[in-house]
């Protein structure tokens, strides 16, 4: 089967027909090859004739760049939308500040080759066969593949290395997708040592960088710091996205806040090692460069070969951090997710992991399925432990046959049972991994990432299969295809429980082996694409020991993600806040698990846990065998209530009314449906102190003229709260809640009359 991976165009083809505000101040169709080749000999007048300027408009954003007097592509503007008739000035290279800071370095290069005295982060660095490492890219030509897209061709001033920069503007959100294709037309191979998707520049100002950091069970910490001279590096060297940094950033200007002020933001669509650098130059300009992580990178391009970078998306808003995340959420739902532009709401799921861990059996799972069905669950998912000789995490990964001791008649009886209870069935897999204690490893020890003759470092007693190898790719696709063909499976939880070590690929000659950094992830994407094409009804979750593989690359192929193995509800409040900076609630799975929580030993009520998870895509991950009748009844009632606001919560506009970051004892979120007919809001108090009231909540995003009726999902509003009032009332006057105590929550919906 010939399955095309999603590469270019950068938006889904169906959406490219949307009429756009993509305008080009000048769009040269003709190739000005001579410009790139003979810049040094040209007169100033001749050069001016070859200095096109490009302008892209979408949403409330304008992005402009052009060719400076030296022939370099230079960013001119990135910010709020300019007047349609405003002339974009031809760019002029920046001055030389001193002999230590030359003009090439100080100029806001759109895609800088490493050469000519560049000390800022290069977009591209190569080594030629003769040892030359100087690369200076000049403008050659442009073309417009469709209404919303633009390609710019750059070429080195003397060598046959070309770079095609791809731009696609989403006319609605103004989110710009940028990527680059690097091509070697030299007679000999070149090694690409660094390749960014894009660089973005901002003029001097006081900026605050927002980024996400974390670790296993501690993902999604929002960090805020002033951008100062020097470089802040956000990265993963781990072979996959990582828990430690997430490939997203937001830069606020001055005192930009949650709902006001200018914010520039971006996200990199790559699930392998990645890097985003944010740096301020000697003239106080800021440059953000993102793409493949150059650490240990070395992609050999033989004559005629190309390297495509991932996509680095960017956007702008003057509605603060909330506005930035709402735009990104809409864009991800509308353009990135596999079911875009209209992804189905996430079903309410049950997952067996925390209940049974690997001790799964047919009767045990069936008993849990009965309890789950009684709560009104839509999808039952059996987690780790059903395959090979899997009793602990020491064995079995790689052997994807059903364990006959646990499931003597295969998966069919359990799946039939689950379906007879009115749920669909999902299954956990970890396709890229192998335990040394497995038939697969005994047969194919050469299939793992390794350097021959060197130790193979185990993590969770497992090794990473080298998915870049064609035989490994075929094996992984083959077993998954068989599993999905032979069983009525509606959902895969695709896990990935360690990072790389010893990343060798000894099938290839020494100078080719670092291709693994690209081909592994490409093969992952292509397997997912091929599986989806062949089994269109199957949905997939990206999990990596929690949130270790969440990015806009994997989200082109997976419907949802597991944000964290940490399901403690108090921790989840801050994690969900951090997660929502970049990713929509639509993909944010949120389970209710047991209390006291295994990680923090914190006891909380079922109600509190449910309400926290109802802010996301709700699931239950508790051992329902231990729940009493009252807990079951509460969960059942709240699942039914969730179904009434499910689409609004998952696909509405999210307002973080009170952020739980910075140790706030309160938090609140609100979601408003796209047509403003419904809002759902949730409020939480950690521990009331000194009898303080819950802050009055002024809602947002409603239709001021419409009348909305208030319904309590859980908890009480102040006695004088009207049963119905206009959007203007709820937004301007606001609502007082009767919310006090420790780990208390409340939730309400507002429905348009
Ligand atoms: C990872 C996942 C968990 C669970 C286990 C199974 O840690 O994040 O949810 O699936 O693996 O081994």
């Amino acid at each position: 089967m010939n399955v095309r991976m999603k590469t270019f165009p950068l938006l889904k083809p169906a959406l490219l027909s949307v009429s756009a505000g993509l305008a080009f101040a000048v769009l040269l169709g003709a190739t000005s090859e001579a410009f790139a080749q003979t810049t040094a000999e040209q007169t100033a007048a001749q050069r001016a004739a070859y200095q096109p300027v490009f302008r892209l408009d979408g949403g409330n954003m304008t992005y402009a760049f052009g060719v400076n007097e030296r022939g370099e592509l230079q960013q001119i503007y990135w910010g709020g939308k300019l007047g349609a008739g405003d002339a974009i000035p031809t760019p002029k290279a920046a001055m030389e500040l001193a002999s230590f800071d030359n003009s090439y370095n100080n100029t806001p290069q759109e895609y800088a080759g490493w050469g000519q005295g560049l000390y800022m982060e290069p977009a591209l660095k190569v080594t030629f066969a003769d040892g030359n490492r100087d690369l200076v890219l000049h403008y050659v030509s442009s073309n417009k593949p469709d209404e919303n897209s633009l390609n710019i061709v750059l070429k080195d001033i003397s060598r046959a290395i070309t770079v095609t920069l791809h731009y696609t503007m989403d006319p609605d959100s103004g989110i710009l997708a940028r990527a680059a294709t690097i091509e070697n037309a030299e007679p000999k191979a070149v090694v690409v040592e660094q390749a960014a998707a894009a660089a973005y520049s901002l003029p001097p100002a006081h900026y605050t960088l927002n980024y996400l950091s974390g670790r296993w069970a501690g993902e999604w910490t929002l960090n805020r710091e002033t951008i100062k001279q020097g470089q802040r590096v956000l990265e993963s060297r781990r072979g996959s996205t990582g828990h430690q940094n997430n490939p997203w950033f937001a830069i606020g200007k001055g005192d930009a806040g949650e709902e006001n002020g200018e914010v520039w933001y971006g996200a990199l669509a790559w699930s392998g090692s990645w890097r985003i650098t944010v740096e301020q130059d000697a003239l106080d300009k800021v440059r953000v460069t993102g793409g493949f992580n150059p650490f240990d990178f070395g992609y050999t391009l033989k004559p005629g070969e190309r390297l495509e970078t991932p996509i680095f998306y960017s956007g702008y808003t003057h509605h603060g951090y909330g506005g930035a995340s709402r735009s990104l959420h809409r864009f991800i739902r509308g353009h990135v997710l596999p079911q875009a532009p209209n992804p189905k709401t996430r079903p309410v799921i049950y997952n067996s992991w925390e209940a049974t861990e690997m001790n799964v059996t047919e009767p045990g799972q069936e008993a849990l399925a009965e309890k789950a069905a009684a709560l009104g669950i839509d999808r039952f998912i059996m987690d780790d432990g059903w395959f090979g000789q899997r009793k602990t995490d020491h064995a079995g990964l790689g052997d994807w046959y059903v364990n006959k001791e646990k499931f003597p008649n295969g998966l069919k009886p359990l799946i039939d049972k689950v379906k007879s209870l009115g749920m669909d069935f999902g299954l956990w897999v970890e396709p890229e991994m192998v335990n040394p204690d497995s038939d697969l490893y005994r047969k194919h020890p050469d299939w793992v990432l390794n350097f021959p003759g060197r130790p193979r470092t185990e993590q969770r007693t497992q090794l990473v299969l080298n998915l870049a190898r064609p035989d490994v790719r075929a094996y992984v696709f083959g077993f998954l295809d068989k599993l999905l063909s032979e069983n009525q499976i509606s959902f895969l939880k695709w896990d990935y429980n360690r990072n790389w070590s010893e990343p060798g690929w000894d099938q290839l000659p020494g100078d080719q082996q670092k291709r693994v950094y690209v081909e592994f992830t490409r093969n992952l994407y292509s397997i997912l694409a091929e599986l989806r094409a062949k089994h269109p009804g199957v949905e997939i979750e990206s999990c990596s020991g929690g949130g270790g593989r969440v990015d806009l690359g994997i989200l082109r192929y997976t419907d949802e993600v597991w944000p964290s193995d940490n399901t403690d509800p108090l921790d989840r409040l801050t994690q969900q806040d951090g997660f929502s900076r970049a990713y929509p609630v639509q993909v944010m799975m949120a389970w209710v698990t047991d209390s006291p929580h295994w990680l923090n030993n914190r006891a909380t009520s079922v109600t509190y846990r449910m309400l926290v998870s109802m802010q996301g895509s709700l699931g239950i991950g508790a051992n329902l065998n231990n729940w009493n009748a009252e807990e079951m009844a509460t969960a059942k009632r709240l699942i039914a209530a969730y179904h009434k606001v499910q689409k609004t919560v998952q696909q509405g506009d999210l307002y973080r009314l009170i952020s739980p970051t910075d140790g706030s004892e309160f938090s609140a979120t609100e979601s408003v449906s796209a047509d403003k007919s419904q809002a759902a809001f949730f409020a939480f108090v950690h521990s009331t102190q000194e009898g303080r009231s819950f802050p009055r909540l002024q809602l947002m995003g409603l239709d001021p003229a419409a009348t909305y009726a208030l319904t309590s999902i859980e908890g009480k509003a102040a006695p004088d709260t009207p049963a119905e009032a206009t959007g203007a009332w709820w937004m301007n006057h606001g609502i007082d809640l009767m919310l006090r105590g420790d780990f208390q929550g409340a939730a309400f919906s507002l429905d348009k009359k």
Side-chain angles (χ1 to χ4, degrees):
M1 175 189 279
N2 181 16
V3 174
R4 269 181 52 83
M5 277 210 296
K6 291 181 196 168
T7 49
F8 303 108
L10 309 180
L11 285 175
K12 299 210 161 167
L15 290 148
L16 293 173
S17 60
V18 174
S19 73
L22 179 67
F24 306 115
V26 180
L27 183 53
L28 286 191
T31 300
S32 54
E33 191 83 39
F35 183 91
Q37 306 242 329
T38 60
T39 305
E41 294 88 57
Q42 285 176 323
T43 65
Q46 283 170 322
R47 281 189 210 130
Y50 288 111
Q51 284 187 248
V53 165
F54 304 92
R55 170 177 172 166
L56 295 85
D57 292 286
N60 284 320
M61 182 171 107
T62 297
Y63 189 85
F65 56 95
V67 180
N68 68 20
E69 68 275 26
R70 288 195 296 258
E72 299 150 7
L73 201 63
Q74 178 176 334
Q75 191 191 289
I76 302 168
Y77 179 76
W78 176 26
K81 198 169 196 163
L82 302 176
D86 287 336
I88 306 290
T90 303
K92 262 187 81 56
M95 64 178 192
E96 176 178 299
L97 181 65
S99 55
F100 301 98
D101 290 292
N102 67 41
S103 169
Y104 182 66
N105 191 67
N106 291 338
T107 298
Q109 303 282 348
E110 187 72 355
Y111 197 85
W114 185 73
Q116 203 172 296
L118 179 72
Y119 314 110
M120 299 288 284
E121 203 56 53
L124 185 63
K125 182 178 186 312
V126 302
T127 294
F128 291 87
D130 63 356
N132 171 49
R133 303 188 307 285
D134 183 59
L135 181 78
V136 179
L137 297 168
H138 279 189
Y139 173 78
V140 176
S141 65
S142 68
N143 61 76
K144 198 169 175 307
D146 59 62
E147 200 183 348
N148 297 329
S149 301
L150 170 67
N151 288 330
I152 302 287
V153 181
L154 308 175
K155 185 183 159 299
D156 178 64
I157 49 173
S158 69
R159 305 263 172 138
I161 292 288
T162 60
V163 178
T164 305
L165 302 181
H166 309 277
Y167 297 79
T168 298
M169 175 64 90
D170 173 34
D172 300 327
S173 64
I175 288 182
L176 176 64
R178 285 186 57 189
T181 304
I182 299 131
E183 185 169 357
N184 177 22
E186 287 278 288
K188 292 193 174 155
V190 299
V191 182
V192 177
E193 290 160 349
Q194 186 158 348
Y200 295 99
S201 299
L202 289 170
H206 180 267
Y207 294 113
T208 301
L209 173 66
N210 292 241
Y211 64 95
L212 296 163
S213 65
R215 60 165 166 78
W216 174 79
E219 303 89 333
W220 312 112
T221 302
L222 178 67
N223 303 275
R224 287 193 160 141
E225 62 196 31
T226 301
I227 297 179
K228 296 193 174 144
Q229 283 199 352
Q231 198 178 70
R232 159 61 74 183
V233 178
L234 312 176
E235 67 169 351
S236 163
R237 300 180 177 194
R238 297 162 179 265
S240 61
T241 324
H243 302 70
Q244 289 69 20
N245 276 167
N246 190 266
W248 165 87
F249 74 90
I251 293 175
K253 186 172 175 185
D255 55 3
E258 181 64 18
E259 295 298 338
N260 65 287
E262 290 191 285
V263 176
W264 293 258
Y265 56 92
L268 191 61
W270 186 242
S271 313
S273 292
W274 60 273
R275 195 174 78 169
I276 296 174
T277 55
V278 181
E279 57 189 329
Q280 196 179 50
D281 72 9
L283 299 175
D284 296 330
K285 295 189 301 301
V286 170
R287 195 179 302 177
V288 183
T289 308
F292 296 122
N293 194 323
F295 181 80
D296 197 38
F297 197 77
Y299 196 97
T300 302
L301 285 179
K302 293 188 207 133
E305 282 189 339
R306 297 164 172 216
L307 172 63
E308 274 183 16
T309 72
I311 300 169
F312 194 10
Y313 295 98
S314 67
Y316 164 85
T317 180
H318 54 272
H319 293 296
Y321 298 110
S325 55
R326 283 190 293 277
S327 274
L328 204 42
H329 295 173
R330 275 195 294 269
F331 180 78
I332 292 169
R333 291 193 306 264
H335 300 277
V336 176
L337 293 177
Q339 295 179 12
N342 295 307
K344 287 187 215 148
T345 50
R346 301 293 78 223
V348 178
I349 65 102
Y350 177 81
N351 179 291
S352 66
W353 172 245
E354 291 200 20
T356 60
E357 298 203 330
M358 290 175 204
N359 303 319
V360 292
T361 60
E362 191 178 301
Q365 294 293 298
E366 288 188 2
L368 286 169
E370 275 173 14
K371 301 248 174 188
L375 294 180
I377 298 277
D378 306 308
R379 173 173 289 167
F380 181 88
I381 300 155
M382 177 161 66
D383 211 278
D384 195 351
W386 59 269
F387 54 90
Q389 295 309 307
R390 187 77 161 166
K391 294 191 180 73
T392 67
D393 60 15
H394 285 55
L397 285 176
D399 298 341
W400 298 103
Y401 59 85
V402 179
N403 182 301
K404 287 281 173 198
E405 282 168 49
K406 299 177 181 182
F407 298 91
N409 301 305
L411 296 176
K412 191 168 185 314
L414 174 61
I415 295 176
D416 287 349
K417 172 82 177 178
V418 165
K419 291 181 97 62
S420 75
L421 290 165
M423 301 180 289
D424 68 24
F425 180 77
L427 195 63
W428 180 95
V429 288
E430 193 175 0
E432 299 139 281
M433 298 290 169
V434 65
N435 287 116
D437 184 0
S438 67
D439 296 341
L440 184 71
Y441 187 71
R442 282 182 279 275
K443 202 164 156 204
H444 296 292
D446 54 324
W447 276 13
V448 299
L449 290 175
N450 77 97
F451 294 118
R454 306 284 304 169
R456 299 172 175 204
T457 303
E458 294 174 19
Q459 293 170 18
R460 208 195 193 199
T461 10
Q462 63 196 55
L463 298 166
V464 185
L465 290 172
N466 182 358
L467 201 61
R469 288 175 61 122
D471 44 8
V472 173
R473 188 211 179 278
Y475 172 77
V476 168
F477 175 78
F479 89 74
L480 288 166
D481 180 37
K482 186 163 180 284
L483 197 61
L484 296 177
S485 302
E486 292 176 354
N487 299 284
Q488 288 198 291
I489 294 170
S490 305
F491 170 85
L492 290 177
K493 173 175 171 180
W494 183 304
D495 213 336
Y496 183 86
N497 273 310
R498 60 161 291 180
N499 296 130
W500 290 10
S501 57
E502 300 99 10
W505 182 0
D506 65 325
Q507 274 184 314
L508 298 187
D511 64 350
Q512 305 278 318
Q513 290 189 12
K514 290 180 177 175
R515 290 175 95 96
V516 71
Y517 284 106
V518 176
E519 308 309 342
F520 185 112
T521 303
R522 289 264 162 80
N523 276 354
L524 168 65
Y525 291 163
S526 81
I527 290 170
L528 287 163
E530 194 173 343
L531 282 174
R532 294 196 78 103
K534 202 161 170 205
H535 305 278
V538 175
E539 298 187 331
I540 304 176
E541 174 180 284
S542 172
C543 174
S544 174
R549 194 153 65 186
V550 182
D551 58 79
L552 295 195
I554 203 79
L555 281 173
R556 292 167 84 89
Y557 306 97
T558 57
D559 305 276
E560 59 183 57
V561 300
W562 182 227
S564 180
D565 278 350
N566 182 353
T567 51
D568 175 273
L570 181 67
D571 287 354
R572 274 286 172 128
L573 286 176
T574 43
Q575 290 191 320
Q576 291 177 175
D577 181 274
F579 183 97
S580 74
R581 306 277 155 179
Y583 304 104
V585 167
Q586 169 78 18
V587 305
M588 184 178 78
M589 300 311 292
W591 306 346
V592 172
T593 57
D594 283 312
S595 173
H597 194 265
W598 56 268
L599 187 61
N600 293 328
N601 199 28
R602 177 179 295 115
T604 54
S605 67
V606 166
T607 305
Y608 180 78
R609 280 174 272 152
M610 286 292 297
L611 293 175
V612 170
S613 292
M614 285 163 70
Q615 294 174 106
S617 286
L618 177 63
I620 306 281
N623 188 348
L624 295 177
N625 295 320
N626 298 337
W627 280 23
N628 63 31
E630 195 188 331
E631 289 170 320
M632 290 291 282
T634 303
K636 185 175 177 180
R637 175 174 64 78
L638 289 173
I639 287 172
Y642 180 74
H643 278 308
K644 292 190 185 147
V645 293
Q646 188 168 359
K647 195 167 163 60
T648 299
V649 168
Q650 294 184 11
Q651 300 183 350
D653 277 336
L654 176 72
Y655 296 88
R656 290 177 291 258
L657 299 178
I658 306 176
S659 170
T661 52
D662 305 329
S664 162
E665 68 193 274
F666 308 113
S667 70
T669 64
E670 179 201 2
S671 301
V672 183
S673 63
D675 63 0
K676 298 183 186 289
S677 65
Q678 187 182 57
F681 60 97
F682 298 84
F684 301 89
V685 59
H686 174 303
S687 297
T688 301
Q689 291 173 36
E690 297 167 344
R692 269 194 288 280
S693 304
F694 198 87
R696 177 171 292 180
L697 285 182
Q698 286 174 286
L699 299 176
M700 302 193 72
L702 303 173
D703 175 354
T707 300
Y708 292 86
L710 181 73
T711 306
S712 168
I713 294 170
E714 181 68 43
K716 289 198 180 82
D720 55 354
T721 306
E724 51 182 71
T726 60
W729 171 276
W730 300 119
M731 293 193 290
N732 295 328
H733 178 278
I735 177 168
D736 292 317
L737 302 181
M738 311 284 281
L739 192 54
R740 287 172 192 218
D742 289 347
F743 309 117
Q744 298 296 312
F748 297 82
S749 67
L750 282 170
D751 293 275
K752 198 167 165 178
K753 299 274 287 180

